Amino acid sequence: MNITFEEQTVIVTGAGHGFGRTIALAFAADGAQVYACDVQDVALQETAALAEAAGTPLRVRRMDVTDPAAVQTLVDEAARATGRVDVLVNNAGGVLGQVGRPIEEITPADWRAIFAVNVDGAFLCAQAAAPHMKRQRRGRIINISSGAGLGISLTGIQAYASAKAAQIGLTRQLAHELGEWGITVNNVAPGFVRSNPTTERQWESYGEEGQRRLVNNIALKRLGSAQDIAHAVLFFASEQAGWITGQVLSVDGGK
């Protein structure tokens, strides 16, 4: 299967590390004009340096996905500079440094913060990109959810499991709303992958026995990589996935 993104414009959020960085670099390697966005300036520069070293440079922009004006500005900039917006990958999210606690200890601010970055961010980015994709009568929106959105969160964080489930609902709804313009909307739900400082801390917290148990519960008996997630995203963004929409693909080694 020959997948290429020559002359396509791709926006990837949360591209400072982990899945987002790997996804952005993969699109750039396949010829796309990539806008890699994150709130972490230093991490973004590291992403840019890796792309430059590989001979596949990309554009990096600081952007907070919970800021509607910032999102609109970035999407419009990409459309003006390249003439189009072909692919949006809503990867920004996470637990924002929170840890699992009893429900009675969760403040409204804690709850809302996780929803803001995981759900509101995906909504705002899709809202800004949709008019450009409608004009083209073609587009791909890929949301990065989590196995937590299909079951329970290994972190025990109530807001995270709920937000990722909500993002899956948004995926399905937008697929039906935008389909008549040739826009597909799909979701990749990763299993546990050691891809960033947060997941590294989570892995260490399990201890040797917990790590062994986690791996033994995976059908393939091994952890995946950020590259495994990127492969799924590139497939959904490709021409080969043109008649696939509203779907959730679990990339988790088998559960």
Side-chain angles (χ1 to χ4, degrees):
M1 186 186 308
N2 182 28
I3 294 178
T4 180
F5 297 97
E6 294 285 345
E7 299 183 0
Q8 291 194 31
T9 300
V10 177
I11 298 171
V12 181
T13 69
H17 56 71
F19 297 154
R21 172 181 285 174
T22 302
I23 291 165
L25 294 174
F27 273 113
D30 281 343
Q33 301 182 78
V34 178
Y35 283 78
C37 310
D38 206 300
V39 293
Q40 301 180 33
D41 289 314
V42 173
L44 272 180
Q45 294 309 315
E46 292 172 356
T47 299
L50 289 169
E52 192 72 36
T56 56
L58 44 70
R59 300 171 172 91
V60 295
R61 298 289 186 272
R62 188 187 188 283
M63 184 184 75
D64 181 350
V65 296
T66 69
D67 180 342
V71 169
Q72 191 68 58
T73 296
L74 181 282
V75 173
D76 289 347
E77 177 196 343
R80 282 194 307 272
T82 66
R84 54 193 304 107
V85 176
D86 296 285
V87 181
L88 166 66
V89 182
N90 286 312
N91 171 73
V95 300
L96 305 179
Q98 294 187 38
V99 297
R101 292 171 290 159
I103 189 171
E104 58 268 28
E105 296 180 15
I106 309 302
T107 68
D110 292 336
W111 176 268
R112 278 301 315 151
I114 288 179
F115 261 79
V117 70
N118 288 281
V119 185
D120 298 358
F123 168 80
L124 291 170
C125 290
Q127 185 180 53
H132 299 290
M133 293 180 175
K134 284 182 176 180
R135 186 181 65 251
Q136 300 159 189
R137 299 198 68 81
R138 183 196 181 281
R140 301 281 191 267
I141 299 174
I142 301 106
N143 297 321
I144 308 300
S145 181
S146 168
L150 294 168
I152 61 171
S153 173
L154 294 176
T155 67
I157 299 173
Q158 304 87 345
Y160 185 70
S162 302
K164 289 306 190 182
Q167 193 197 72
I168 290 170
L170 177 65
T171 297
R172 291 173 173 148
Q173 191 65 39
L174 289 181
H176 281 268
E177 178 180 342
L178 301 176
E180 65 180 287
W181 285 277
I183 302 167
T184 67
V185 189
N186 289 293
N187 194 291
V188 174
F192 181 80
V193 176
R194 297 169 63 186
S195 63
N196 58 47
T198 298
T199 52
E200 281 300 313
R201 287 192 296 270
Q202 186 178 346
W203 175 252
E204 291 300 324
S205 74
Y206 294 148
E208 187 174 331
E209 180 57 35
Q211 293 168 4
R212 187 181 302 111
R213 187 163 52 249
L214 188 153
V215 172
N216 283 338
N217 284 334
I218 298 172
L220 291 175
K221 306 305 180 190
R222 64 175 178 84
L223 297 181
S225 69
Q227 197 65 50
D228 291 315
I229 309 308
H231 290 324
V233 172
L234 266 63
F235 169 68
F236 273 144
S238 72
E239 290 299 324
Q240 287 86 344
W243 208 50
I244 301 172
T245 195
Q247 301 304 305
V248 182
L249 177 59
S250 295
V251 184
D252 57 12
K255 292 294 181 68

